[in-house]
Amino acid sequence: MGIRSRVAVGVVAGVVLGVTGSAAAGAAPVRFPVDVVVHTEIGGGPNDFEGNIPGCETGTVLDVDPRATFTPWGGVFKGDKEFTCDSGSGGFTVQLIARFGEPGSTGTWTLVDAWGDFEGVKASGELTGTYTASGIDDRYTGSAR
């Protein structure tokens, strides 16, 4: 069963965790909140993530074609990040554009590819990053449908 049908019931119940149901034929896709944290370690990967995506609460993230430009105030990161779910249900790729510097990072992300249970899902949102002892915790928030 795809992510769209599982999420329809979750939104109504106020819980977006592993539920099942089906949307009416021709109904508009149901939006649901996205809240994922990627624990990025400097100089390596894959990195771990955790979040509220039904069927994909945990997994790993790899940088795909990352490009960082450094400036006097910090820099800009542009690139794709490939998320693979620990559950084996599929995964997705997001395109990220973020500014980074002394206080952390901020940016935007857009889902550009998905497979498995997530095929056909659309999503986008914002990113905020907080430095940690070993790297940065990037928090992706937004919505999917």
Side-chain angles (χ1 to χ4, degrees):
M1 180 177 298
I3 185 103
R4 289 182 187 182
S5 57
R6 286 194 302 226
V7 170
V9 173
V11 170
V12 172
V15 178
V16 185
L17 295 172
V19 294
T20 61
S22 60
V30 175
R31 288 190 179 275
F32 67 95
V34 173
D35 191 351
V36 173
V37 175
V38 177
H39 305 288
T40 304
E41 293 186 26
I42 302 297
N47 295 294
D48 295 328
F49 76 86
E50 57 194 44
N52 71 334
I53 299 170
C56 192
E57 290 83 3
T58 61
T60 56
V61 180
L62 287 174
D63 285 335
V64 179
D65 192 27
R67 297 173 304 280
T69 304
F70 296 92
T71 67
W73 50 263
V76 176
F77 175 90
K78 293 181 181 181
D80 292 348
K81 293 191 176 265
E82 184 177 282
F83 290 70
T84 302
C85 307
D86 283 343
S87 66
S89 62
F92 46 91
T93 302
V94 300
Q95 185 174 71
L96 174 63
I97 300 173
R99 295 176 68 165
F100 58 90
E102 184 61 35
S105 61
T106 60
T108 59
W109 60 270
T110 303
L111 191 139
V112 294
D113 189 24
W115 58 93
D117 286 352
F118 307 99
E119 190 170 341
V121 171
K122 309 287 187 210
S124 62
E126 297 180 352
L127 171 129
T128 55
T130 305
Y131 291 113
T132 66
S134 60
I136 191 165
D137 280 350
D138 287 324
R139 184 174 186 185
Y140 293 73
T141 57
S143 64
R145 58 180 166 77

